Amino acid sequence: MAAGTSSYWEDLRKQARQLENELDLKLVSFSKLCTSYSHSSTRDGRRDSSDTTPLLNGSSQDRMFETMAIEIEQLLARLTGVNDKMAEYTNSAGVPSLNAALMHTLQRHRDILQDYTHEFHKTKANFMAIRERENLMGSVRKDIESYKSGSGVNNRRTELFLKEHDHLRNSDRLIEETISIAMATKENMTSQRGMLKSIHSKMNTLANRFPAVNSLIQRINLRKRRDSLILGGVIGICTILLLLYAFH
């Protein structure tokens, strides 16, 4: 019976890790899609002013965005279901309720699910904001071209309006470049966070398997803390003595 329940737990962990790996790849692609959409929209703004037809590239990216968003939501739902099954397993009558290793593993998978969910909603919101901004800018460009073709006169007001529009477009391009840098930094931070979590998990596993190692680590930490307190006290005393000597 114990072997059967242990095998069930390992199957759940395997499913969770597989879904987490798939989500990680999907979220990276999702973030790159948002970045490429921003860049392509900037290039689209530099097209010939006579071209007012919708771009197939933007439509294709919109469809890709919707498809990837649905796939990620489905993966998140499946991972949530696996986590729920793991929680039910830890609360079942045949499993010790105070098993620290199982609870720690479950909490780690829950944290990963929460991080992926937060990252997905944040990236999706950024994409929607960029798309709405580009739609607004496209509408402004169409209004400008319509006004120019209807009047046929480049008066002073039109020139000022066009200059202001160019200024806004340049500012928008700078913002998009800043967003791209921030998203690249976020991807690097996500990768480093995954590595640190993996190292932390391995250290906890070693500590749980070898209590002596855990005890040794605790003693080392206590000794480091004691040495820090002693060093701080010595530095404080020396500082006081130097101040007294300086004022006398």
Side-chain angles (χ1 to χ4, degrees), residues 52-80:
T52 58
T53 58
L55 289 178
L56 295 178
N57 187 27
S59 300
S60 176
Q61 286 182 326
D62 287 341
R63 290 194 297 270
M64 188 179 300
F65 166 78
E66 298 294 341
T67 301
M68 292 187 66
I70 293 174
E71 292 176 353
I72 293 174
E73 288 174 350
Q74 291 175 348
L75 288 174
L76 289 173
R78 290 172 58 189
L79 183 58
T80 301

Side-chain angles (χ1 to χ4, degrees), residues 212-230:
V213 175
N214 190 19
S215 177
L216 178 61
I217 293 174
Q218 291 180 355
R219 288 200 298 270
I220 292 174
N221 291 333
L222 289 175
R223 180 168 295 179
K224 288 173 63 178
R225 187 179 301 174
R226 184 192 62 188
D227 293 343
S228 298
L229 292 175
I230 293 174

Side-chain angles (χ1 to χ4, degrees), residues 10 13-14 25 190 201:
E10 291 300 326
R13 288 191 61 190
K14 183 178 179 180
L25 295 175
T190 301
S201 176

Side-chain angles (χ1 to χ4, degrees), residues 163-177:
K163 289 181 180 179
E164 183 66 21
H165 172 68
D166 290 337
H167 177 70
L168 291 174
R169 188 171 62 184
N170 292 332
S171 300
D172 186 63
R173 184 169 60 252
L174 292 176
I175 293 173
E176 290 171 353
E177 293 176 355

Side-chain angles (χ1 to χ4, degrees), residues 13-114:
R13 288 191 61 190
K14 183 178 179 180
Q15 294 177 28
R17 288 194 295 267
Q18 182 178 358
L19 290 172
E20 288 166 359
N21 291 334
E22 292 181 10
L23 274 169
D24 186 63
L25 295 175
K26 287 287 185 182
L27 287 172
V28 171
S29 300
F30 197 58
S31 178
K32 290 181 179 179
L33 175 63
C34 182
T35 303
S36 64
Y37 184 88
S38 174
H39 289 169
S40 65
S41 297
T42 302
R43 291 192 298 269
D44 297 343
R46 303 192 187 110
R47 293 177 300 149
D48 187 359
S49 60
S50 62
D51 185 7
T52 58
T53 58
L55 289 178
L56 295 178
N57 187 27
S59 300
S60 176
Q61 286 182 326
D62 287 341
R63 290 194 297 270
M64 188 179 300
F65 166 78
E66 298 294 341
T67 301
M68 292 187 66
I70 293 174
E71 292 176 353
I72 293 174
E73 288 174 350
Q74 291 175 348
L75 288 174
L76 289 173
R78 290 172 58 189
L79 183 58
T80 301
V82 173
N83 284 351
D84 293 340
K85 291 180 180 179
M86 295 174 71
E88 292 176 359
Y89 174 83
T90 57
N91 295 328
S92 61
V95 179
S97 59
L98 298 179
N99 194 328
L102 295 183
M103 296 303 297
H104 173 75
T105 301
L106 175 59
Q107 185 59 42
R108 182 164 58 86
H109 285 294
R110 283 176 172 173
D111 292 340
I112 293 174
L113 173 60
Q114 184 179 2

